[in-house]
């Protein structure tokens, strides 16, 4: 490789657990986080769960010198909770809200109100363009019976689509965030295989942090150990992922996580561990065609694996479709019953002989209470019907896109040795092509 | 220009006005549209307001031979109404739902239920990659007092963001749809200036169609002439826009619209006119650096104009913010009054002496009716509060992004003669750069 030029970028990702008045030691922890960021001067800081804009603004004030550029992504009722701080100028930002994000009536889980999304910022690092993404997917409350799994799979699908389609012009892609998925979970495999993003923990030359790179650990005093069960020591659900481009190679020189405590403080920064990755970007003057031969070796195998993963995701979305259809049916049936009850009540009140021959009129108190109940049922089931219809549309939409993608990937796979040399020089491997076709980095 | 290679693409865009049981002659018109598309064999067909999936499926069946590739974009409660048919294989699709799209309680306008969005399809035309977009923005019901203007401006902002960020890898970008904006409306100027998209009607070498390219005309029998007032003859709100890339130049050889009637049929295809554009794409072997000198001539002027347009859009969004804040305040106040009324009622019922010294107890009928009213007020205002909060977040988010964009553009403008040569060779002019910097096509 001739004529390389190297750029170093230090990235931090942290789920701040910043629910005002509910998260423990929230103001103190924000102060600690601010001090640490000010001191450490990472190039890029990706924060999640900064639920209050006030907390973002106080961090922004504190980091005005160390990180003059920042953006807070607004979405949903509460906000997306996503924030980015940068040493380098942010030229452009864009937000993609996931089409599915739990249920509004599951208020105790609260995900729906957060308006989960993926935020993108375009930075210029020297003469290079970096697309930086920060996201937070739907939480997993019960791994054995995870009713949110189809929603999270659709979020992972939309995340990979968003990154793939928006990163074609970037020299460097960085994604940081709380994916709420274990390393080998379906959504994670889908994301990494389709985009070609590499996991900093798996790629790093040096690692200093929790065992197995865990980011939600039993040793963290804010963690309820029972909730981690059956993973006694902890789980890895926060990530820093990265990739280069046809013009650049990217390496992870080191990675670290906090270990359930913060230096010189009585408690840690958050219930999640903070991740830091030291990335090194090398630009080269090799053209794409020089590097083309590398592609063919393993691309067909990767493509076949990708087809399997997308098919698996499609199956999961179909399960979600089945559930949503069932819930919409239940809402409809309940609504019809409420309507029937109301009609019956009105009929009894209007036609006295219907009241089984008794001379007594319909008691007024019961009449009004029953009528109020019927109206409440009708209104609730109507709102639920609308909500489930939107959920169904979103699931069907994702399933359609997956079917189309599988068809397209399979066609590529069939004609692989023939089609590749014809099309390859015109299209960049990332962006519009699955990165199973991307050069090995 | 040496070594050019030419590809021709014929594109149709039509708002089908496909509301089952409500739109006039809906099944007959779909049959006519199907026959016409089958016969005309456009390369790409972009349809809007295909509200029923059944209608899409029957069109798909009819066009199986002429247009073997198609996609229907699902979103919202009813659907997005967007469909694409293509002669060329669709490799990938992606949907972006606008964050704002009217109000659910404005059910007679219906836009909110449609889940308005922009759909993208990636096609390979020969060896070229075409990104094709289809969209439908919020309708304008009253031009003088357009309460949806901030929503439509935010939609235009998100549309330009989506196109700019997803089209960096494309050789050809085509957008077709019903923008519900006149040619010089703010959103339209924003879209064209920022993306560098060109208007087929303005660029075409030959034109055959309605006067001034109008697409909603008084001569169309489905049109209520009063609604067009003060534009007696009609308005132009449907568009085909296009752009090439640094590797390709694109030209519009001809354009046509229907003229309020369909050949050999008693009524037209829709209440909108259909648009057809004949595009010609020429690839060249000139490198970007050869073409660079062209850029500088007018880029600074374009950039300054873009800053003005984004600032104008920001002002409009601020107006929307002010309105939304007012509506949220009204909802809150009404909710508090409902709560006060409920408390007062309960107090009167519980403590008899409160009832102004009368011996009569609280009449039961009145008690229940009043309680039901209070609960209805509380529920409605709570839902409205949540809705307006989401609207506020979306407006604030767009305003933040616009402020950041203006800052970035202004910085570019200040350092224009110096910064340009340093950065230009690394970054493609479209995609991550405002197309005010793009080469003149």
């Amino acid at each position: 490789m001739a004529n390389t030029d190297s750029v170093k970028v230090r990235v931090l990702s942290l789920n701040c657990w910043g629910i005002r008045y509910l998260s423990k030691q929230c103001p103190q922890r924000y102060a600690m986080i601010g001090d640490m960021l000010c001191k450490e001067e990472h190039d890029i800081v990706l924060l999640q769960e900064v639920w209050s804009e006030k907390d973002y603004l106080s961090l922004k004030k504190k980091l005005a010198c160390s990180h003059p550029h920042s953006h807070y992504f607004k979405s949903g009722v509460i906000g997306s909770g996503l924030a980015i701080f940068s040493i380098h100028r942010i030229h452009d930002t864009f937000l993609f809200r996931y089409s599915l994000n739990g249920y509004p009536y599951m208020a105790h889980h609260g995900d729906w109100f957060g308006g989960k999304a993926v935020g993108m910022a375009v930075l210029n690092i020297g003469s290079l363009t970096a697309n930086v993404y920060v996201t937070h997917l739907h939480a997993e409350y019960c791994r054995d019976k995870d009713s949110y799994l189809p929603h999270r799979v659709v979020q992972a699908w939309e995340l990979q689509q968003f990154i793939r389609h928006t990163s074609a012009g970037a020299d460097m892609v960085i994604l940081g965030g709380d994916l709420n998925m274990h390393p080998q979970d379906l959504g994670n495999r889908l994301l990494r295989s389709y985009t070609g993003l590499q996991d900093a923990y798996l790629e790093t030359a040096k690692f200093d942090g929790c065992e197995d790179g865990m980011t939600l650990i039993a040793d963290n005093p804010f963690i309820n150990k029972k909730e981690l069960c059956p993973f006694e020591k902890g789980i890895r659900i926060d990530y820093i992922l990265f990739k280069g481009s046809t013009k650049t190679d990217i390496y992870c020189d080191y990675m670290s996580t906090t270990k359930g405590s913060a230096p010189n403080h009585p408690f840690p920064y958050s219930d999640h561990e903070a991740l830091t990755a030291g990335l090194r970007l090398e630009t080269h003057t090799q053209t794409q065609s020089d590097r083309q031969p590398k592609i063919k070796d393993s691309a067909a195998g990767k493509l076949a694996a990708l087809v399997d993963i997308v098919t698996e995701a499609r199956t999961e979305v179909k399960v979600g479709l089945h559930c949503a259809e069932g819930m919409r049916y239940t809402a409809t049936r309940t609504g019809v019953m409420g309507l029937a009850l109301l009609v019956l009540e009105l009929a009894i009140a209007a036609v006295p002989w219907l009241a089984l021959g008794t001379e007594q009129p319909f008691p007024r108190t019961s009449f009004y209470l029953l009528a109020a109940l019927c109206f409440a049922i009708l209104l609730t089931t109507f709102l639920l019907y609308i909500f489930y219809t939107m959920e169904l549309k979103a699931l069907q939409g994702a399933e359609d896109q997956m079917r189309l993608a599988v068809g397209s990937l399979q066609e590529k796979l069939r004609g692989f040795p023939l089609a590749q040399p014809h099309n390859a020089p015109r299209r960049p491997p990332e962006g519009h092509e699955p990165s199973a076709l991307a050069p090995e980095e």
Side-chain angles (χ1 to χ4, degrees), chain A:
Chain A
M1 187 185 295
N3 204 2
T4 60
D5 197 4
S6 164
V7 174
K8 292 191 177 186
V9 180
R10 220 152 59 96
V11 184
L12 175 132
S13 174
L14 171 64
N15 178 324
C16 293
W17 190 38
I19 315 167
R20 281 201 159 203
Y21 316 116
L22 284 176
S23 301
K24 286 175 193 161
Q25 268 92 19
C26 201
Q28 296 92 320
R29 290 190 294 105
Y30 268 119
M32 284 160 56
I33 291 169
D35 291 340
M36 180 263 287
L37 295 178
C38 222
K39 189 183 144 210
E40 293 283 337
E41 292 189 343
H42 303 87
D43 292 79
I44 299 163
V45 175
L46 304 170
L47 302 181
Q48 305 96 52
E49 289 212 23
V50 184
W51 292 123
S52 162
E53 196 177 353
K54 281 183 191 162
D55 291 325
Y56 161 74
L57 291 173
S58 72
L59 271 182
K60 185 180 161 135
K61 203 172 163 189
K62 199 166 197 170
L63 303 180
C65 291
S66 62
H67 296 84
H69 309 289
S70 67
H71 192 77
Y72 185 60
F73 295 96
K74 286 168 189 157
S75 154
V77 184
I78 305 168
S80 69
L82 305 173
I84 172 167
F85 289 89
S86 168
I87 284 180
H88 311 279
R89 189 175 185 101
I90 299 173
H91 283 279
D92 216 341
T93 55
F94 190 26
L95 184 75
F96 181 88
R97 281 157 302 112
Y98 298 122
S99 59
L100 292 171
N101 188 32
Y103 306 96
Y105 54 80
M106 299 296 270
H108 59 298
H109 285 170
D111 293 69
W112 185 84
F113 292 88
K116 298 255 167 93
V118 46
M120 172 178 120
V122 181
L123 274 62
N124 276 23
I125 301 180
S127 57
L128 299 172
T129 302
N131 275 23
V132 180
Y133 301 85
V134 55
T135 193
H136 184 192
L137 303 195
H138 198 292
E140 185 184 73
Y141 295 98
C142 172
R143 195 164 173 85
D144 290 334
K145 211 178 168 184
D146 182 12
S147 55
Y148 298 113
L149 183 57
H151 283 212
R152 207 177 308 104
V153 169
V154 171
Q155 289 185 341
W157 172 257
E158 290 175 342
L159 176 60
Q160 67 78 16
Q161 279 189 313
F162 185 68
I163 294 177
R164 223 157 33 86
H165 290 299
T166 55
S167 64
D171 300 307
M172 180 182 201
V173 176
I174 298 170
L175 165 65
D178 174 2
L179 300 185
N180 271 312
M181 300 187 291
H182 295 217
Q184 284 308 310
D185 280 1
L186 173 59
N188 218 331
R189 284 182 283 132
L190 183 67
L191 173 65
R192 282 186 285 127
S193 316
Y194 224 146
T195 58
L197 283 168
Q198 294 180 288
D199 186 340
Y201 172 69
L202 298 177
E203 302 296 325
T204 186
K206 275 189 236 167
F207 178 73
D208 175 30
C210 302
E211 196 184 330
D212 298 329
M214 288 181 300
T215 61
L216 211 63
I217 59 168
D219 288 343
N220 187 308
F222 295 130
I223 292 286
N224 179 349
K225 285 174 190 64
K226 279 183 196 159
E227 283 177 10
L228 283 177
C229 219
F231 304 96
E232 282 170 23
K233 286 186 177 172
I235 52 180
R236 184 158 83 94
I237 57 172
D238 299 78
Y239 299 84
I240 292 174
L241 305 174
F242 61 89
K243 71 171 179 176
S245 72
T246 48
K247 290 188 290 174
T248 54
D249 285 322
I250 190 165
Y251 305 94
C252 183
D253 289 335
Y254 59 88
M255 194 188 169
S256 65
T257 71
T258 51
K259 296 172 190 172
S261 62
N264 310 320
H265 289 288
F267 42 80
Y269 299 115
S270 170
D271 60 346
H272 285 243
E273 301 309 314
L275 283 74
T276 305
L279 304 175
R280 178 169 41 89
L281 197 74
E282 292 193 347
T283 54
H284 45 74
T285 50
Q286 263 186 316
T287 61
Q288 195 179 341
S289 52
D290 297 337
R291 310 176 79 222
Q292 208 64 32
K294 273 200 201 176
I295 292 178
K296 292 177 189 166
D297 304 340
S298 64
K302 281 189 179 180
L303 208 51
L306 183 57
V307 169
D308 289 345
I309 294 170
V310 179
T311 307
E312 197 181 336
R314 220 183 129 192
T315 309
E316 198 51 61
V317 172
K318 278 182 185 166
V319 171
L321 266 171
H322 185 73
C323 285
E325 271 164 4
M327 289 197 284
R328 189 170 72 164
Y329 177 71
T330 305
T332 312
R333 206 174 45 180
T334 313
V336 169
M337 278 163 60
L339 189 67
L341 193 63
L342 186 68
V343 170
L344 189 68
E345 187 195 3
L346 292 176
I348 290 174
V351 191
W353 58 260
L354 267 177
L356 303 173
T358 57
E359 288 300 302
Q360 242 180 322
F362 203 130
R364 280 199 173 176
T365 313
S366 314
F367 179 83
Y368 289 113
L369 278 179
L370 198 59
L373 179 73
C374 291
F375 277 114
I377 289 174
L378 280 175
L379 183 71
T380 312
T381 51
F382 174 69
L383 291 177
L384 283 175
Y385 182 87
I386 288 188
F387 182 82
Y388 289 132
T389 303
M390 287 167 78
E391 186 188 7
L392 275 170
K393 289 273 174 206
L395 286 164
Q396 284 166 353
E399 210 259 326
D400 286 352
Q401 290 172 348
M402 287 174 184
R403 191 180 57 233
L404 192 138
V406 166
S408 179
L409 292 172
Q410 277 172 335
E411 199 191 68
K412 261 190 208 114
L413 198 57
R414 274 196 295 274
F416 201 77
L418 294 167
Q420 187 59 25
H422 175 67
N423 286 334
R426 294 219 178 259
R427 286 174 290 160
E430 74 282 46
H432 300 285
E433 287 297 281
S435 287
L437 295 179
E440 308 267 309
E441 266 152 11

